C-alpha cells in the first residue's frame, strides 16, 4: 500500500534528521531561548524582509491558531473565516474553547473575498442590536486554503486593504504555505509580512517532524506572546528542536524546494486525472487534489493506494490525494499509470 | 408615540406589583431559599405534572441559556440550533464564552426538524475525522421560535424521539412560552416536561419585571446546578423577587391568560395587515409579527408607533410589531385603523 | 425570629418601591437605553465629579465582578486580591470561569497594602521564569472589605500610586459602599473616581431590589463594554428598573443616608457587645459585625435572632450580624437588651 | 560551561534517535493511529498490570495537565494541589484558562497529605455557603513533587483511600516519574494504576525529545478523550513520533534505567554538598537538588556550571542542580571536586 492520504505520513526531511542527530548532545537553554531558535528567527525575518517582526515556534497548527486568536481578541470579538476554514471545522472547537466564535462566510472554493468581509462588518456595525452580536474583529484566511486553492497577491491586497480600513486584524494560516509560495502569482512571504498582522509558516506538512513558525507583524500582538504560548500548552521544553528544524528549512531555500516539488508532483497527477476526464471538486493548484471518482474507480485505486474519502456529491465521491516532500517519484509514476488504466 | 417594538417596554403586571409591595418588608433568607420560591416551584411542578423536576429561577434569558448549556456539556461538545436561534445570533457569543460552539442548522421559518438533527449527528459519527470536529450533544429549540413560529406537539415529539435515540440532550428556550401555549396544537408544559430534558419558562417577556424559571427533568443535569447558577452570575441575592413573581404568574392561570391575550391582540393586527395584502416574512401565530412593508408604509406608521426594523428583502423591509401583556386595547385598535389607512 | 444574618433580607426602600409603582406603565426602550438610566448616570457622574466616566448598571455583584475583570484582562493576566476577597472565595470560581486566576495576598483584617502589591509585582517581574507564571495586571479591593474594614483615603492613595507606577489596573468592589462612605476618613466617591480605574456602587445591599452601578474611569476599559455586559448575561431587558432604582438612591442623598443609618445601628450593637467584653474577630466599623461568641451565647441569641455562623477559633465561634436599611430601631434595641442579658 | 540547571538541555537518548532514524521513511497513519503507538500502549499497560487502561500520548506537561483536568471536571469544580504544584505556579494559569480554579494546600516539602484533603473537603461540604465556593473534585499530586520529594506507597494509599471515600478524582503528574520509581518505598507504576484515576508518565525530562503518556484508569474519563486532546491543541499530526519514543523507553527497561542513573548521580552530588555541611531546602531523594548556598559559593560554582537560582532565605540562596539522562560521569565528578573546594 502506497499512501497518499496526507502529507504527514513519514518522519522528517533527511537534512532535518541530520541536524537533529548532529546537535543531539549540545546543551542549550530550554523554551526557545537557544542559538538555533535565534538563527531560525533571523532567517525567517530575512525572508519576510522585516527587521521588526517577532518570530515564535509552536508545535502544531491547532495550537498555533488558538494561541494567536486568543491572544489577539477581546472576549466579545470573533473571527471571520471561510465556511471551510480549519479553525471552523477541524479543530474540535479549539477556538470556541478559548471563548471566541468563528463567524463563517460562504466559500465554494475555500476562499473569501474582501467584499464579503466588508459587507459583513458594515452590516454588523449598522445593526441596531450590534451589541447583542459577536463583534467581528479578525479575518482568518488559509494560504493555501483547506481546499488547495491559493489567494493571488491582488486578492490578498484587497483583503488587507479592507481590514486596515475597518480596523480588523488579518491572520494567515500557512499550514501548507510552501505549496502556495510555489504557485505563480501568489504573494511571497515578504508580501504577506507587508499585508497581514500575523501569519504562520507551516513546518509539519512540509517535512519537519513538527513545528509552525508564527510571524507577528503588528506591534500590539507582540506583547507578552510567550506568556500566551505557555498558557495554551505550546511552549516546548526542548524548544531547540523547533529552532533546528526551521533553521534547516530556511537554509539554502529548502522550504521553497519542498513546496515546488510537492506542487510539481501534484501537477503530474492532476494531468493524469484530467486526461481521464475526471473532474475536480476544488480547483487546487497545490499539493492537495480533490478528484470526483466513481465507486468503481475508488475500488480500483484502493487496491494499491490509500487516500482520504471526503464526501458524496451528485456525480460521485470526492476523495483527496496529497503529494508530499516524501512522495517518491516512482510511486507517483506508478499511481499515474494506474489512473491511466481506470 | 405608542411602542410596539418589543414586549419588555413596561414594568410588570399589576398582580405582580401588588405582591411585591405587600411582601416588601417580610424577612426571608436569600438566594432562592425562601417560601415564595418554594411555592412557585410547587406550582410549576404541578403544571408540568412532575414530582421530580427541579425548578430554579434566574434573572434573564442569556444568563439562563449559558448556565444551562455550560452545565450540561463537556468541553468538546456543541449545541445544535436553528440558524436563527437566539443563542447563535443575539447573545454576543455567550455560549462560546463558556467554551461551546453553537452548530447552526438551516431554518427558513425558525424551526428545525427531527430529520435535520438526525442527519447531522449521523454524519458526524460516520466522519473519519470525527474527533477533529465538535461533537453534537444537545439540541436547542425555542418555543415559540425567534421568528414567532411554534413547534406542534407532533414535531416536538419527533425531535424528542431522535434525541433519545441518539443520546442527545433536548433543551427548550421558552422566553415567550406563554404565547406558544396559547396556540392550538402546541405542546403543553406537561408535554414539554415529558419530551425534553430541560426547558425554561420565560417571565421577562410575559409581564414579570424579570425572571426565567428553569425546569430540569433529567436527573444528571440536576446535580450541583446551584453552584453553576452562582458561577455564571445568576444567583440573585434577593431571590424571593423571582419566587414572588412566578408564584403570581402561576396563580389563577395568570401566565396562560397573558399569553392568550398577547396572541389574540396579535391576531387582530395580523388580520389588519392581511386585509391590506401586506405579506409576512415569517408565518408567526404568536405575539411577534413580521410584515414586509414599503418605505412609504414604514414612514406612515412611524409617525405614531415605534416598531423594530429587521432587514431588507427584495420586496420591502421586514419590520417587527410585538403585542404584550401591557398593550392597551385602544392602542391596538388605533394601530389597526392606521394600518387600514396605509 | 428577627433576622440579622445579612443585609438583603427584605425587598426595597419605600422610595424605590414608590418610583417603580409610579413608572410601571411608562413605555421605554430596553437594555438601559431609557431616560431613567440616563438620569441615574448623570447623578452618579456628578457624585464622582467626573464628566467623562462611563456608568453601566448590572444586576448583581458576581456578575459585575466577572464582567469587569474579563473585560479588562488579557488571557495570561490575573488579579491580585486579599485572601478574603469575594472574588476569591465566594463566587464559585466565576473569575476563573472567565479564564483568569485570582492571586491571593495575605490579609488578616481583609485589607491589602500598597507594599504587598509592589512586592508581588516586582518579584514577578524579576523571576527568571516569569513567562511561566500568571502576570499580575489588576488589583481588586473591596470597600468596605468582606470583613467590614475600610481603606482610608491615605491607604487608597498609596495603592493607587503603586498601581500607576507599575501599570496595574485598580478596581474597587463597592458592594457595601454606602457603609464605607459613612466612615470618617474614608475616600469619597470623587476620591475613588480620581484614584482607581473602575469601581462599582452597590445597590443590592443598600436597599435596592437589586443592582450595581459600574463606574469606568479609564478610557480603554470603556470600549465596547456593553458587548461584554451582554455576553456575560448581565444586560437586563427592562434596564429601566436599574435606572429607576439608582436615580432614586442618588436623589436627596438617599444612598448616603442609608449607609449612615446602617453604620449608626451597627455602632450601637458593637457597643453592646463590647460592654459584655465580647471580642470581635475583625475590627469592622461598618454594618457587618463579627463577634466571637461562646456556644452558650450563640444558643441564647438564636432563640429570637438569626445570624450567620462563620468559623470556629480558639476562643469561640465567629458569627456575623448585619444591620441594614430595613433594620427596625425596635429590633436593634431588643437585640441590644438580649446581648446585655448574655 | 557545564549545564545542570534542568533535565531538558539536550536532545534524546541515543536509543530513541536510532529508532527515529530507522523509521523515518516508513509511512503510517497520523494522529496516533499507527503501530508504534499501539506497541507503546501495550508495553505501558503491561507495566501498569492493566488490560483496561487507556493510554494516550501528548507532547508536553502543561498541555497534558490542562487536557486531563478540563476533561474531568465540570465547570464549578476545582482541583486541590500543593501550594508548590506545577499547575498552580508554573503553567501561566493554564488550568484557569480552561475555567477551573486550583485550590492550594500548604506543603512545606511539596507534598500534601490525606488528612489535609479530607479536612478541606469536609469543611467545604459543611459550609453553609458551599454553593458559593468552588467545589473540590480532584486531587492533583506530582510524583516526584516539584521539590524532588517522593510519596511513599503508604502515603499514596492514604490519599487514594480518602479520594475514594469522598468521591474525588486522583490525578498524578509524573513529569519526572522515572526518578520516583528509582526511590525505595515509592509506588510502582502498577501501584499507581491501582490507586489513582489517571496519571501521566513523563518522557520529556527522561530522555525523550518530548512526550508524556497519559494512563486513564477510571472508565468515565476515557470517554471521548481524543476529542479533548484535539481541542486543546495536543494531537500531534505525526503521532508516531510519540509512539516510537515511548516504545523505546519501555523496551528493555530503558525508562527505569534512566531514572536509576539520574538518582544515583544526584546521590553522589548530594553527598558532596553534605560533606561541606551545605543544607538542602527540600529533602529531595531524586534528581533535583536544592542546596542553600552563600553568595561566594554561588559565584565560585558559576564559573564552570550553570544552575538555576530559586529564592533567597534567611541563611542563603536556594539553587537547583539537576542530573539528567545526559549528564556525563566526568562532568558530575568534576562538579563534585569543585564542591569539595568550596
Amino acid at each position: 500500500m502506497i499512501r497518499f492520504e496526507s502529507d504527514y505520513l513519514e518522519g522528517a526531511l533527511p537534512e532535518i534528521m541530520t541536524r537533529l542527530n548532529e546537535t543531539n548532545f549540545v546543551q542549550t537553554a530550554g523554551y526557545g531561548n537557544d542559538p538555533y531558535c535565534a538563527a531560525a528567527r533571523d532567517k525567517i525575518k530575512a525572508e519576510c524582509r522585516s527587521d521588526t517582526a517577532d518570530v515564535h515556534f509552536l508545535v502544531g497548527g491547532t495550537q498555533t491558531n488558538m494561541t494567536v486568536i486568543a491572544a489577539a481578541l477581546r472576549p466579545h470579538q470573533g473571527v471571520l473565516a471561510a465556511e471551510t476554514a480549519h479553525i471552523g471545522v477541524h479543530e474540535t472547537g479549539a477556538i470556541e474553547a478559548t471563548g471566541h466564535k468563528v463567524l463563517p462566510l460562504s466559500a465554494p472554493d475555500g476562499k473569501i473575498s474582501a467584499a464579503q468581509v466588508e459587507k459583513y462588518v458594515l452590516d454588523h456595525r449598522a445593526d441596531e442590536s450590534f451589541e447583542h452580536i459577536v463583534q467581528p474583529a479578525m479575518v482568518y484566511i488559509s494560504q493555501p486554503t483547506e481546499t488547495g486553492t491559493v489567494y493571488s497577491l491582488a486578492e490578498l491586497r484587497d483583503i488587507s486593504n479592507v481590514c486596515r480600513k475597518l480596523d480588523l486584524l488579518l491572520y494567515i494560516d500557512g499550514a501548507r504555505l510552501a505549496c502556495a509560495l510555489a504557485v505563480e502569482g501568489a504573494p511571497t512571504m515578504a508580501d504577506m509580512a507587508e499585508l497581514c498582522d500575523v501569519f504562520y509558516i507551516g513546518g509539519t506538512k512540509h517535512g519537519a517532524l513538527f513545528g509552525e513558525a508564527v510571524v507577528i507583524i503588528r506591534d500590539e500582538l507582540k506583547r507578552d506572546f510567550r506568556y500566551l504560548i505557555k498558557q495554551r500548552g505550546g511552549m516546548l521544553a526542548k524548544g531547540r528542536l523547533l529552532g533546528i528544524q526551521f533553521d534547516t528549512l530556511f537554509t539554502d531555500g529548502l522550504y521553497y524546494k519542498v513546496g515546488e516539488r510537492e506542487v510539481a508532483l501534484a501537477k503530474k497527477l492532476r494531468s493524469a486525472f484530467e486526461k481521464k476526464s475526471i473532474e475536480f471538486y476544488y480547483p487546487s493548484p497545490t499539493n492537495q487534489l480533490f478528484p470526483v471518482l466513481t465507486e468503481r474507480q475508488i475500488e480500483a485505486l484502493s487496491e494499491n493506494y490509500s487516500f482520504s474519502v471526503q464526501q458524496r456529491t451528485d456525480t460521485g465521491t470526492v476523495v483527496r490525494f496529497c503529494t508530499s516532500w516524501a512522495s517518491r517519484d516512482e510511486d507517483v509514476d506508478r499511481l499515474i499509470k494506474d489512473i491511466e488504466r481506470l
Side-chain angles (χ1 to χ4, degrees), chain A:
Chain A
M1 183 68 58
I2 304 170
R3 289 176 171 270
F4 284 100
E5 79 257 35
S6 80
D7 32 22
Y8 40 88
L9 299 164
E10 298 89 0
L13 290 157
E15 293 88 340
I16 283 176
M17 292 309 294
T18 300
R19 289 292 300 283
L20 289 174
N21 289 320
E22 284 171 0
T23 58
N24 194 49
F25 288 100
V26 179
Q27 290 192 312
T28 64
Y31 304 117
N33 297 317
D34 63 86
Y36 305 110
C37 285
R41 278 187 202 103
D42 285 345
K43 290 197 170 85
I44 287 171
K45 287 163 71 175
E47 297 295 327
C48 293
R49 309 268 181 279
S50 167
D51 288 339
T52 57
D54 273 5
V55 180
H56 299 274
F57 302 108
L58 286 94
V59 169
T62 296
Q63 188 180 81
T64 301
N65 287 333
M66 74 191 199
T67 303
V68 168
I69 292 170
L73 299 185
R74 293 184 66 204
H76 63 298
Q77 298 180 326
V79 50
L80 287 164
E83 61 194 343
T84 46
H86 205 259
I87 55 168
V89 294
H90 273 108
E91 300 188 356
T92 320
I95 306 307
E96 286 80 7
T98 69
H100 300 285
K101 194 177 183 98
V102 180
L103 306 165
L105 296 174
S106 75
D109 66 351
K111 296 199 286 181
I112 57 173
S113 70
Q116 281 178 290
V117 170
E118 184 164 30
K119 176 171 169 29
Y120 189 98
V121 174
L122 295 182
D123 282 357
H124 172 80
R125 294 182 184 173
D127 193 311
E128 62 182 23
S129 298
F130 67 97
E131 292 161 339
H132 297 235
I133 303 171
V134 171
Q135 185 184 68
M138 177 186 259
V139 173
Y140 164 100
I141 61 175
S142 300
Q143 173 77 328
T145 68
E146 294 75 7
T147 64
T149 53
V150 171
Y151 289 89
S152 69
L153 177 55
E155 288 169 331
L156 180 61
R157 196 177 296 282
D158 285 350
I159 292 174
S160 175
N161 285 340
V162 161
C163 288
R164 286 177 186 175
K165 190 172 74 176
L166 299 177
D167 195 22
L168 306 168
L169 292 165
L170 178 56
Y171 171 41
I172 306 176
D173 177 332
R176 293 185 171 94
L177 185 59
C179 281
L181 296 173
V183 171
E184 209 185 302
T188 63
M189 274 174 51
D191 292 331
M192 291 166 68
E194 184 199 322
L195 295 172
C196 78
D197 297 299
V198 51
F199 69 103
Y200 88 77
I201 302 166
T204 301
K205 289 166 181 166
H206 292 307
L209 289 175
F210 56 85
E212 325 295 329
V214 178
V215 182
I216 307 182
I217 308 297
R218 194 193 280 223
D219 281 342
E220 67 256 41
L221 294 183
K222 295 174 184 171
R223 193 168 170 209
D224 293 340
F225 197 75
R226 279 172 57 83
Y227 280 93
L228 290 148
I229 295 175
K230 178 65 188 169
Q231 184 181 58
R232 301 296 172 190
M235 192 169 284
L236 194 64
K238 299 179 181 177
R240 65 200 256 153
L241 301 173
L242 292 159
I244 292 165
Q245 294 186 85
F246 274 97
D247 188 57
T248 306
L249 285 172
F250 284 96
T251 297
D252 298 334
L254 180 57
Y255 191 72
Y256 300 98
K257 289 175 196 162
V258 165
E260 284 157 15
R261 182 159 180 277
E262 289 173 343
V263 166
L265 290 177
K267 196 172 173 185
K268 286 173 65 178
L269 274 187
R270 196 163 54 242
S271 296
F273 282 116
E274 284 170 350
K275 277 184 199 147
K276 299 294 290 187
S277 299
I278 288 168
E279 303 215 320
F280 290 94
Y281 195 69
Y282 299 114
S284 163
T286 56
N287 77 321
Q288 300 183 81
L289 297 179
F290 299 89
V292 184
L293 301 185
T294 64
E295 286 310 298
R296 201 191 49 73
Q297 290 169 333
I298 288 176
E299 206 179 314
L301 291 176
S302 294
E303 266 177 58
N304 295 313
Y305 309 96
S306 69
F307 46 90
S308 89
V309 175
Q310 307 263 312
Q311 58 176 304
R312 254 150 237 277
T313 69
D314 293 343
T315 59
T317 298
V318 184
V319 302
R320 186 180 77 161
F321 284 83
C322 291
T323 57
S324 95
W325 64 275
S327 299
R328 296 189 306 172
D329 287 318
E330 58 263 41
D331 290 341
V332 172
D333 290 342
R334 196 177 140 195
L335 172 55
I336 288 171
K337 287 224 174 68
D338 284 330
I339 293 170
E340 288 167 354
R341 268 192 223 107
L342 283 178

